[in-house]
C-alpha cells in the first residue's frame, strides 16, 4: 500500500530522507518513530506529495507518487485520511457539519451525506455531540470528530500525526482503541508518535528513523528512552 524504494529527499545540504526503503502492506498498522529532526514529517509529506523526492520511487496503492502530475494529486490525497495532534476542526461548523463537509467537497449527494454522517459519528462514539461546536467538546471528543472526518470517504490509508499528543493517558487509550478498530476494518494506518507507553503496549510494527535513515523495522517496542 505504501512502498518507498531508495527514496532520497535533501533540503539543500540537510538530509530529509536518504535511500529510505520501506514496504507497508494493506491493512498494516505501523508506528513511525524517531527523534525530532529524524525525517518523520518528510516521510509524511512525501506520501501526500506536499514535497517531491529527489530520487527513488514512492508507490501509494496504484499511484507512483513521483510521477503524478499536479492535476492528479487531489486523487491521491482522496485515498489518504489524515489526523493531527491539534485536530484542525472548523470552529464555525458543528460536529455534524465538520464531518459532512468532507463529503460535500467531493460532491457527494445530500442523501448519501445524511445517511453516512450519522453512521460515522456513531462509529467514533460522538453521536450525542453532533450539534455541538468544536470548542464545546473535550480534546478527546475533538479528536474523535477529526478521525470521523478523516475516514468518512473510506480512505485506504489513515495517517495519524501525533494524534494523542494533546490527550491525557486515558483519553489517548480510547483514541488508540478507535484507531485499532478502524485498522481492523482494513484501513492501513501509519501513526507518527513519541508516545513510548502506547507503542510498547500495542505490539505493532515499529519503523524507526534517525537522521533520514530507516534504522529499525520490527514488531514491538518504541526503543528510545525519552
Ligand atoms: P521530524 O519530522 O522527524 O522532526 P523532519 O522531516 O521535519 O523531521 O526533518 C528532517 C530533517 O530535514 C531535519 O534535519 C530538518 O531540519 C530538515 N528539514 C526539514 N524541512 C526542512 C526545510 N524546509 N528546509 C531545510 N531543512 C529542512
Ligand atoms: P438539506 O435540508 O439542505 O437537505 P440536510 O437535511 O442534509 O440538508 O441537513 C441540514 C443541516 O441539518 C445540516 O447542515 C446539519 O447541520 C443538520 N443535520 C442534518 N442531519 C443531522 C443529524 N443527524 N444530526 C445533527 N445535525 C444534522
Amino acid at each position: 500500500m505504501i512502498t518507498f524504494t531508495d527514496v532520497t529527499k535533501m533540503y539543500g545540504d540537510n538530509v530529509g530522507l536518504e535511500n529510505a526503503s520501506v514496504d507497508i502492506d494493506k491493512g498494516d498498522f505501523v508506528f513511525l518513530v524517531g527523534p525530532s529532526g529524524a525525517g518523520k514529517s518528510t516521510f509524511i509529506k512525501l506520501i501526500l506529495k506536499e514535497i517531491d523526492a529527489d530520487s527513488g520511487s514512492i508507490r501509494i496503492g496504484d499511484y507512483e507518487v513521483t510521477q503524478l502530475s499536479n492535476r492528479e494529486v487531489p486523487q491521491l490525497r482522496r485515498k489518504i485520511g489524515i489526523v493531527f495532534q491539534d485536530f484542525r476542526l472548523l470552529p464555525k461548523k458543528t460536529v455534524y457539519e465538520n464531518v459532512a463537509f468532507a463529503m460535500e467537497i467531493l460532491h457527494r449527494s445530500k442523501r448519501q451525506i445524511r445517511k453516512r454522517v450519522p453512521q460515522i459519528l456513531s462509529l467514533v462514539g460522538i453521536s450525542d455531540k453532533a450539534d455541538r461546536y468544536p470548542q464545546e467538546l473535550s480534546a478527546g471528543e475533538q479528536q474523535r470528530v477529526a478521525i470521523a472526518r478523516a475516514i468518512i470517504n473510506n480512505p485506504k490509508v489513515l495517517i495519524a500525526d501525533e494524534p494523542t499528543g494533546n490527550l491525557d493517558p486515558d483519553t489517548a487509550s480510547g483514541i488508540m482503541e478507535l484507531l485499532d478498530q478502524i485498522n481492523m476494518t482494513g484501513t492501513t494506518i501509519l501513526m507518527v508518535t513519541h508516545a513510548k507507553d502506547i507503542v510498547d503496549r500495542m505490539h505493532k510494527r515499529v519503523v524507526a528513523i534517525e537522521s533520514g535513515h530507516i534504522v529499525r523495522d520490527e514488531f514491538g517496542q518504541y526503543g528510545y528512552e525519552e
Side-chain angles (χ1 to χ4, degrees), residues 88-162:
R88 303 197 192 179
L89 300 172
L90 298 167
K92 293 187 173 157
K93 288 186 186 286
T94 65
V95 166
Y96 183 96
E97 290 162 353
N98 263 278
V99 177
F101 189 59
M103 291 184 76
E104 289 163 8
I105 289 170
L106 299 189
H107 307 293
R108 299 288 183 255
S109 71
K110 285 192 170 167
R111 191 163 155 269
Q112 281 178 306
I113 294 172
R114 271 199 296 267
K115 179 154 180 261
R116 176 87 176 135
V117 175
Q119 285 173 351
I120 214 84
L121 293 182
S122 168
L123 176 79
V124 304
I126 42 164
S127 299
D128 56 332
K129 305 281 162 70
D131 296 326
R132 303 283 188 91
Y133 288 88
Q135 65 272 21
E136 300 173 326
L137 304 182
S138 70
E141 287 165 345
Q142 290 185 55
Q143 194 58 294
R144 285 173 187 273
V145 178
I147 291 169
R149 178 179 62 181
I151 63 171
I152 193 153
N153 294 312
N154 293 313
K156 303 221 179 295
V157 176
L158 178 61
I159 293 173
D161 192 355
E162 303 241 25

Side-chain angles (χ1 to χ4, degrees), residues 36 133 174 177 186 215 220:
S36 182
Y133 288 88
E177 275 174 37
V215 293

Side-chain angles (χ1 to χ4, degrees), residues 32-80:
L32 184 61
V33 306
S36 182
K40 303 180 298 296
S41 305
T42 299
F43 192 89
I44 301 300
K45 287 176 184 167
L46 287 166
I47 291 174
L48 296 164
K49 205 173 166 74
E50 288 176 9
I51 55 175
D52 286 313
D54 300 320
S55 59
S57 155
I58 300 171
R59 287 200 73 85
I60 307 297
D62 297 332
Y63 295 99
E64 173 56 54
V65 173
T66 57
Q67 304 289 325
L68 280 188
S69 67
N70 289 339
R71 196 173 48 81
E72 293 166 310
V73 169
Q75 295 167 38
L76 165 75
R77 292 188 186 156
R78 246 169 252 158
K79 309 276 188 234
I80 303 168

